[in-house]
mmCIF file with all atom_site columns, all heavy atoms in Angstrom:
data_model
loop_
_atom_site.group_PDB
_atom_site.id
_atom_site.type_symbol
_atom_site.label_atom_id
_atom_site.label_alt_id
_atom_site.label_comp_id
_atom_site.label_asym_id
_atom_site.label_entity_id
_atom_site.label_seq_id
_atom_site.pdbx_PDB_ins_code
_atom_site.Cartn_x
_atom_site.Cartn_y
_atom_site.Cartn_z
_atom_site.occupancy
_atom_site.B_iso_or_equiv
_atom_site.pdbx_formal_charge
_atom_site.auth_seq_id
_atom_site.auth_comp_id
_atom_site.auth_asym_id
_atom_site.auth_atom_id
_atom_site.pdbx_PDB_model_num
ATOM 1  N N   . ILE A 1 36 ? -4.122 0.219   -46.965 1.00 0.00 ? 73 ILE A N   1
ATOM 2  C CA  . ILE A 1 36 ? -2.804 0.754   -46.528 1.00 0.00 ? 73 ILE A CA  1
ATOM 3  C C   . ILE A 1 36 ? -1.697 -0.235  -46.923 1.00 0.00 ? 73 ILE A C   1
ATOM 4  O O   . ILE A 1 36 ? -1.919 -1.434  -46.766 1.00 0.00 ? 73 ILE A O   1
ATOM 5  C CB  . ILE A 1 36 ? -2.801 1.015   -44.981 1.00 0.00 ? 73 ILE A CB  1
ATOM 6  C CG1 . ILE A 1 36 ? -3.778 2.078   -44.662 1.00 0.00 ? 73 ILE A CG1 1
ATOM 7  C CG2 . ILE A 1 36 ? -1.402 1.433   -44.541 1.00 0.00 ? 73 ILE A CG2 1
ATOM 8  C CD1 . ILE A 1 36 ? -3.879 2.382   -43.166 1.00 0.00 ? 73 ILE A CD1 1
ATOM 9  N N   . ARG A 1 37 ? -0.715 0.285   -47.500 1.00 0.00 ? 74 ARG A N   1
ATOM 10 C CA  . ARG A 1 37 ? 0.437  -0.516  -48.011 1.00 0.00 ? 74 ARG A CA  1
ATOM 11 C C   . ARG A 1 37 ? 1.758  -0.175  -47.355 1.00 0.00 ? 74 ARG A C   1
ATOM 12 O O   . ARG A 1 37 ? 2.012  1.040   -47.113 1.00 0.00 ? 74 ARG A O   1
ATOM 13 C CB  . ARG A 1 37 ? 0.479  -0.355  -49.586 1.00 0.00 ? 74 ARG A CB  1
ATOM 14 C CG  . ARG A 1 37 ? 1.476  -1.362  -50.203 1.00 0.00 ? 74 ARG A CG  1
ATOM 15 C CD  . ARG A 1 37 ? 1.334  -1.201  -51.743 1.00 0.00 ? 74 ARG A CD  1
ATOM 16 N NE  . ARG A 1 37 ? 0.018  -1.580  -52.169 1.00 0.00 ? 74 ARG A NE  1
ATOM 17 C CZ  . ARG A 1 37 ? -0.514 -1.145  -53.337 1.00 0.00 ? 74 ARG A CZ  1
ATOM 18 N NH1 . ARG A 1 37 ? 0.149  -0.347  -54.094 1.00 0.00 ? 74 ARG A NH1 1
ATOM 19 N NH2 . ARG A 1 37 ? -1.676 -1.634  -53.669 1.00 0.00 ? 74 ARG A NH2 1
ATOM 20 N N   . ALA A 1 38 ? 2.545  -1.143  -47.166 1.00 0.00 ? 75 ALA A N   1
ATOM 21 C CA  . ALA A 1 38 ? 3.912  -0.943  -46.563 1.00 0.00 ? 75 ALA A CA  1
ATOM 22 C C   . ALA A 1 38 ? 4.904  -1.572  -47.541 1.00 0.00 ? 75 ALA A C   1
ATOM 23 O O   . ALA A 1 38 ? 4.667  -2.654  -48.078 1.00 0.00 ? 75 ALA A O   1
ATOM 24 C CB  . ALA A 1 38 ? 4.019  -1.603  -45.205 1.00 0.00 ? 75 ALA A CB  1
ATOM 25 N N   . SER A 1 39 ? 6.032  -0.890  -47.752 1.00 0.00 ? 76 SER A N   1
ATOM 26 C CA  . SER A 1 39 ? 7.021  -1.399  -48.652 1.00 0.00 ? 76 SER A CA  1
ATOM 27 C C   . SER A 1 39 ? 8.387  -0.878  -48.263 1.00 0.00 ? 76 SER A C   1
ATOM 28 O O   . SER A 1 39 ? 8.523  0.163   -47.606 1.00 0.00 ? 76 SER A O   1
ATOM 29 C CB  . SER A 1 39 ? 6.702  -1.028  -50.061 1.00 0.00 ? 76 SER A CB  1
ATOM 30 O OG  . SER A 1 39 ? 6.795  0.370   -50.263 1.00 0.00 ? 76 SER A OG  1
ATOM 31 N N   . LYS A 1 40 ? 9.349  -1.571  -48.685 1.00 0.00 ? 77 LYS A N   1
ATOM 32 C CA  . LYS A 1 40 ? 10.799 -1.215  -48.540 1.00 0.00 ? 77 LYS A CA  1
ATOM 33 C C   . LYS A 1 40 ? 11.658 -1.945  -49.476 1.00 0.00 ? 77 LYS A C   1
ATOM 34 O O   . LYS A 1 40 ? 11.336 -3.160  -49.744 1.00 0.00 ? 77 LYS A O   1
ATOM 35 C CB  . LYS A 1 40 ? 11.313 -1.460  -47.123 1.00 0.00 ? 77 LYS A CB  1
ATOM 36 C CG  . LYS A 1 40 ? 12.769 -0.914  -46.938 1.00 0.00 ? 77 LYS A CG  1
ATOM 37 C CD  . LYS A 1 40 ? 13.183 -0.979  -45.525 1.00 0.00 ? 77 LYS A CD  1
ATOM 38 C CE  . LYS A 1 40 ? 14.643 -0.441  -45.461 1.00 0.00 ? 77 LYS A CE  1
ATOM 39 N NZ  . LYS A 1 40 ? 15.087 -0.221  -44.155 1.00 0.00 ? 77 LYS A NZ  1
ATOM 40 N N   . LEU A 1 41 ? 12.623 -1.328  -50.117 1.00 0.00 ? 78 LEU A N   1
ATOM 41 C CA  . LEU A 1 41 ? 13.527 -2.015  -51.041 1.00 0.00 ? 78 LEU A CA  1
ATOM 42 C C   . LEU A 1 41 ? 14.083 -3.205  -50.477 1.00 0.00 ? 78 LEU A C   1
ATOM 43 O O   . LEU A 1 41 ? 14.595 -3.216  -49.269 1.00 0.00 ? 78 LEU A O   1
ATOM 44 C CB  . LEU A 1 41 ? 14.648 -1.038  -51.492 1.00 0.00 ? 78 LEU A CB  1
ATOM 45 C CG  . LEU A 1 41 ? 15.466 -1.506  -52.615 1.00 0.00 ? 78 LEU A CG  1
ATOM 46 C CD1 . LEU A 1 41 ? 14.730 -1.710  -53.862 1.00 0.00 ? 78 LEU A CD1 1
ATOM 47 C CD2 . LEU A 1 41 ? 16.635 -0.482  -52.845 1.00 0.00 ? 78 LEU A CD2 1
ATOM 48 N N   . GLY A 1 42 ? 14.010 -4.352  -51.103 1.00 0.00 ? 79 GLY A N   1
ATOM 49 C CA  . GLY A 1 42 ? 14.558 -5.632  -50.595 1.00 0.00 ? 79 GLY A CA  1
ATOM 50 C C   . GLY A 1 42 ? 13.559 -6.506  -49.891 1.00 0.00 ? 79 GLY A C   1
ATOM 51 O O   . GLY A 1 42 ? 13.888 -7.545  -49.450 1.00 0.00 ? 79 GLY A O   1
ATOM 52 N N   . PHE A 1 43 ? 12.259 -5.997  -49.808 1.00 0.00 ? 80 PHE A N   1
ATOM 53 C CA  . PHE A 1 43 ? 11.251 -6.786  -49.111 1.00 0.00 ? 80 PHE A CA  1
ATOM 54 C C   . PHE A 1 43 ? 9.994  -6.805  -50.027 1.00 0.00 ? 80 PHE A C   1
ATOM 55 O O   . PHE A 1 43 ? 9.727  -5.926  -50.834 1.00 0.00 ? 80 PHE A O   1
ATOM 56 C CB  . PHE A 1 43 ? 10.816 -6.037  -47.837 1.00 0.00 ? 80 PHE A CB  1
ATOM 57 C CG  . PHE A 1 43 ? 11.874 -6.020  -46.796 1.00 0.00 ? 80 PHE A CG  1
ATOM 58 C CD1 . PHE A 1 43 ? 12.857 -5.074  -46.801 1.00 0.00 ? 80 PHE A CD1 1
ATOM 59 C CD2 . PHE A 1 43 ? 11.866 -6.996  -45.763 1.00 0.00 ? 80 PHE A CD2 1
ATOM 60 C CE1 . PHE A 1 43 ? 13.862 -5.127  -45.781 1.00 0.00 ? 80 PHE A CE1 1
ATOM 61 C CE2 . PHE A 1 43 ? 12.805 -7.007  -44.746 1.00 0.00 ? 80 PHE A CE2 1
ATOM 62 C CZ  . PHE A 1 43 ? 13.849 -6.036  -44.791 1.00 0.00 ? 80 PHE A CZ  1
ATOM 63 N N   . GLU A 1 44 ? 9.193  -7.865  -49.862 1.00 0.00 ? 81 GLU A N   1
ATOM 64 C CA  . GLU A 1 44 ? 7.924  -7.940  -50.551 1.00 0.00 ? 81 GLU A CA  1
ATOM 65 C C   . GLU A 1 44 ? 6.964  -6.969  -49.943 1.00 0.00 ? 81 GLU A C   1
ATOM 66 O O   . GLU A 1 44 ? 6.868  -6.917  -48.689 1.00 0.00 ? 81 GLU A O   1
ATOM 67 C CB  . GLU A 1 44 ? 7.335  -9.349  -50.465 1.00 0.00 ? 81 GLU A CB  1
ATOM 68 C CG  . GLU A 1 44 ? 8.118  -10.400 -51.296 1.00 0.00 ? 81 GLU A CG  1
ATOM 69 C CD  . GLU A 1 44 ? 7.481  -11.775 -51.178 1.00 0.00 ? 81 GLU A CD  1
ATOM 70 O OE1 . GLU A 1 44 ? 6.227  -11.837 -50.857 1.00 0.00 ? 81 GLU A OE1 1
ATOM 71 O OE2 . GLU A 1 44 ? 8.198  -12.753 -51.419 1.00 0.00 ? 81 GLU A OE2 1
#
Side-chain angles (χ1 to χ4, degrees):
I73 297 180
R74 188 174 295 155
S76 64
K77 183 171 179 171
L78 188 63
F80 293 84
E81 290 183 20

